Amino acid sequence: MRSLLAFRKIPPPFLLRCLIHCKPFCSQSRFPTESDNPSPQVNENPPTSSSSSVVVANLSTRKPEHKDESRVIDALLDRRNDPESALRFYNWARPGSFEVGDSFWLLIHILVSSPESHGRARDLLQRYVSSSSPMPRVLVCNLVESAKSFGFEVKALPFSYLLNAYTKERRTDCAVECIKLMIELGLAPYVRYVNNTLSALVRRNSINEAKELYGKMVATGLVAGDKATAHLLMRASLREEKPEEALEVFSKAIEREEEPDGLLYSLAIQACCKTVNLGMAFGLLSEMKEKKLCVSQETYTSVIVALVKQDRVEEAVRLKDEMVSEGIPMSVIAATSLIKGHCKNGDLGSALEMFRKMEKEGPSPNRVTFSVLIEWFSKNGEMERVLEFYKKMEALGITPSSFQVHSVIQVCLKGQRPEHGLKLFEEYFETGTANIFICNSMLSWLCKQGKIDETKDLLRKMESRGLGPNVVSYNNVMLALCRTKRLDLALTVFSEMLEKDIKPNDYTYSTLIDGCFKNHDFHNAWEVIAQMNSSDIEVNEVVYHTVINGLCKAGQSSKARDMLEDLMREKRVCIGCMSYNTIIDGFIKESRMDSAVAAYREMCGNGVSPNVVTYTCMMDGLCKNSRMDQALEMRKEMKEKGLKLDVPAYGALIDGFCKKGEMKSASALFSELFKEGLNPNEAVYNSLISGFRNLGNMEAAIDLYKKMLKDGLRCDLPTYTTLVDGLLKEGNLIMAFGLYTEMQGLDIVADEIMCSVIVNGLSKVGQFVEVVKMFEEMKKNDVTPNVFIYNAVIAGHFKEGNLDEAFRLHDEMLDKGLVPDGVTFDILVRGKYGESQCIGIESL
């Protein structure tokens, strides 16, 4: 018996670690010799059989005697240059057995030594791995140790076959460990098997692990990969939405002087499209055509989609035409993208044409196609088209999404076909596919239409179907009820919500409190506030601002200020500028300017910086209270803080100067406004026109009126009233009535003030017939004449001798609740008794 110790060498440090941490398959520290275990002679020349062509022979009916391991090894070593003979002997000596010892690993090395038997080694390792579960480190140790023990060179091939076996068995972690062990040994795994392992990692979404493993192989210079590796890594990067990394892989493949194939180009073009580098995408596309590479449908689609996203729809259409001309059918993704591009550009006609083409020539539209069409045609209010698309979806067997159903329902409800929307909702609800979003939307619409019974019925049905209702459902109902001034019902819904243990949120309280204040129901407002404060909800600034706003509109600004002080003191919520502005505005409207100034100072003292709205409100209040000096101080302070006056701020100051008759200062501010690049509004012009009218300077007033029209502003009723009044006072009836006729041509209806101005002017020049016409016109326009106008008409009738009509109008005044004044009494007395008798009556 030959000694095997001569073949053993001291293993490198890695193998020493392996031998320390793993148990070899041989049960002894060395192979047994004859002296250790004397046994009968073994026939080492088994008969040749056709079964030697398989890796492991089928189990024979008679189980052969288990041969001594050392004798089997000796026999295999005698056959090391004849792999087929070695395999036949091993099958005979170890039939059907995987009691693997050193003889097994010796056989593997013998088989991989000849190209003709490589497949035998691969299949043998595959069979072994599939029937056992040793970890890769153990098997790698056995391969290395056996190679060195029996004098074989440590080659990459058997380790690569082991790697392949793990991959085929889907033991990916073992395959990864096997590659890492090969890297430690300095052995280059076969690229094909590496790609299989990387692919398995990507499939299970371990993309970072795959990249890390590939990076280690490249860093050692063992494996650079091939085109398949590049394909795999680029796809992985694109899946991770990292197109830059995909392009980097492409660049490295080019650096390795690999000739890119069609797939590599396609992936690179997709990456370019995702990085919006369309210039590079078109460059690669041209290279593909020059190299006669087939451009796939997927490649064309990627570029078309990218072009549409960049709003380059015309280029996308040309590329689509090029694709079709080359015999490549248009994909549904490309067609849908083009439809969306046309819709975004407002070209619904082209979008519809593309859809018709899809119906006729293909590809068949899918759910996304219909979603795009329904969304954009809904936005355009084209209800009939939306219904057409919806019906075609159903005809094609495409189940509409919740979004699509909601869009169709909404366009019907907002259009002239609410019955269709209701019917569609009922059908969708009965199928059990309706979600709470659609139900909440329907609840809101029903409330706005005043369909309270239907709303309650839907709430009940939602509850029975397990669709809530939730806090959003109740909020929608309460908001709609508050907006339609049905506060009592809103409060009832709120009570039901609490009874069902549905917790209100900030929006709930804000809606109800605002509704209570707008309906002047202060008692319930405070009830809701008390309930809110007793709950454990974190109330935000919006809710408190709603309370403050409601109090100020109700004329209770002091109460709002007290609440604000409490909040600031308790630091329950951060109060901003908006709430202070509301309180300041409330005090000004209550004619409490000193309180407004105090609130402003308190605001600054609490570290809340005033904004443009604050200063505008303060300046407006100060100007209206003839405190121009303080208003100008505010303006100075505003500028010092770097805040620019807006149009309302200039308007407040200009109006203040106009009311004081200081038109020079007002005109200077008007000029400054233009220098700041601002455009005055109607209110600013009206203030200046009124100011010049008050000074009798109608020429300047008319010039401003003309400039107003030139600037594209439309004169409103106050503008015309001021101009007509000024012109009538000057006796310029022609121009005054010219403006009045112009006003009527703009469909502006004269109010009581305008009628009083005209009646007054006509009465002074004795135009009684025109006064009566104005009087009748007021009645026709449902404008109630005031006492002044009645007095003018009654006086006219007395002068004309129409005493009965004069007294009838007096009675009409009383019937309408108007109280005659001293002028009315004087007119009646003079008209009835004459001038001479009136003197006698007055002397009494």
Side-chain angles (χ1 to χ4, degrees), residues 652-663:
L653 291 171
I654 288 170
D655 188 62
F657 281 120
C658 289
K659 282 183 169 60
K660 289 186 70 177
E662 297 182 17
M663 299 309 296

Side-chain angles (χ1 to χ4, degrees), residues 121-140:
R122 182 192 63 222
D123 295 343
L124 192 61
L125 282 170
Q126 177 68 48
R127 177 81 177 273
Y128 172 59
V129 168
S130 67
S131 62
S132 61
S133 57
M135 297 304 292
R137 185 170 291 274
V138 175
L139 303 190
V140 169

Side-chain angles (χ1 to χ4, degrees), residues 294-346:
C294 179
V295 182
S296 67
Q297 183 191 71
E298 185 181 14
T299 307
Y300 274 116
T301 298
S302 297
V303 182
I304 289 170
V305 171
L307 285 168
V308 171
K309 285 182 179 179
Q310 290 295 301
D311 200 23
R312 295 163 64 177
V313 180
E314 290 183 5
E315 291 179 69
V317 171
R318 285 198 296 271
L319 191 61
K320 181 266 297 182
D321 292 339
E322 177 186 311
M323 174 177 70
V324 174
S325 68
E326 292 179 3
I328 301 172
M330 179 172 54
S331 69
V332 68
I333 296 174
T336 302
S337 183
L338 288 168
I339 288 173
K340 187 173 183 178
H342 288 310
C343 289
K344 286 176 72 176
N345 288 339

Side-chain angles (χ1 to χ4, degrees), residues 272-544:
C272 289
C273 291
K274 287 183 180 293
T275 58
V276 202
N277 188 350
L278 295 181
M280 184 176 177
F282 276 111
L284 293 173
L285 201 59
S286 297
E287 283 185 29
M288 289 186 74
K289 293 173 183 176
E290 289 172 6
K291 294 178 180 180
K292 306 297 183 184
L293 294 173
C294 179
V295 182
S296 67
Q297 183 191 71
E298 185 181 14
T299 307
Y300 274 116
T301 298
S302 297
V303 182
I304 289 170
V305 171
L307 285 168
V308 171
K309 285 182 179 179
Q310 290 295 301
D311 200 23
R312 295 163 64 177
V313 180
E314 290 183 5
E315 291 179 69
V317 171
R318 285 198 296 271
L319 191 61
K320 181 266 297 182
D321 292 339
E322 177 186 311
M323 174 177 70
V324 174
S325 68
E326 292 179 3
I328 301 172
M330 179 172 54
S331 69
V332 68
I333 296 174
T336 302
S337 183
L338 288 168
I339 288 173
K340 187 173 183 178
H342 288 310
C343 289
K344 286 176 72 176
N345 288 339
D347 189 359
L348 298 184
S350 295
L352 190 59
E353 184 182 345
M354 177 66 72
F355 174 72
R356 301 291 186 219
K357 194 170 185 179
M358 289 177 72
E359 286 186 304
K360 186 178 179 181
E361 302 174 8
S364 180
N366 61 13
R367 181 184 290 178
V368 179
T369 313
F370 283 109
S371 287
V372 171
L373 289 165
I374 289 172
E375 178 188 358
W376 286 95
F377 278 84
S378 294
K379 287 179 180 179
N380 204 47
E382 296 197 27
M383 181 180 59
E384 296 301 328
R385 291 289 187 202
V386 172
L387 289 172
E388 176 194 340
F389 297 140
Y390 187 78
K391 289 175 182 176
K392 286 188 174 181
M393 277 185 74
E394 291 183 323
L396 290 171
I398 300 173
T399 303
S401 66
S402 297
F403 172 78
Q404 290 167 333
V405 174
H406 179 259
S407 298
V408 176
I409 291 172
Q410 287 301 306
V411 77
C412 289
L413 295 178
K414 291 176 182 178
Q416 304 300 317
R417 305 275 288 275
E419 68 282 356
H420 281 70
L422 287 168
K423 183 181 178 183
L424 178 59
F425 172 76
E426 288 171 4
E427 291 174 356
Y428 195 61
F429 189 87
E430 290 303 320
T431 61
T433 52
N435 59 26
I436 196 164
F437 173 74
I438 294 176
C439 291
N440 286 344
S441 182
M442 181 56 71
L443 282 172
S444 180
W445 183 84
L446 289 171
C447 286
K448 288 175 183 176
Q449 300 301 311
K451 300 179 182 293
I452 305 304
D453 292 337
E454 290 87 342
T455 302
K456 291 180 178 179
D457 186 52
L458 180 55
L459 283 170
R460 180 184 56 77
K461 286 182 178 178
M462 287 173 65
E463 191 171 2
S464 66
R465 292 287 181 88
L467 285 172
N470 59 12
V471 65
V472 177
S473 312
Y474 283 103
N475 285 349
N476 283 343
V477 174
M478 287 184 282
L479 176 64
L481 290 171
C482 287
R483 284 179 174 174
T484 53
K485 300 188 182 300
R486 294 186 172 108
L487 182 62
D488 54 339
L489 288 174
L491 291 169
T492 301
V493 171
F494 179 63
S495 298
E496 290 177 5
M497 179 180 174
L498 296 176
E499 288 172 5
K500 292 179 180 178
D501 291 328
I502 297 175
K503 189 177 180 180
N505 57 20
D506 290 338
Y507 192 78
T508 312
Y509 288 114
S510 181
T511 299
L512 279 177
I513 293 167
D514 185 58
C516 288
F517 277 119
K518 284 181 177 177
N519 284 275
H520 305 288
D521 190 345
F522 305 119
H523 173 73
N524 278 313
W526 286 111
E527 286 289 328
V528 176
I529 292 168
Q531 204 283 332
M532 177 184 73
N533 290 331
S534 65
S535 67
D536 58 353
I537 189 172
E538 284 289 331
V539 183
N540 60 23
E541 183 190 353
V542 176
V543 180
Y544 283 117

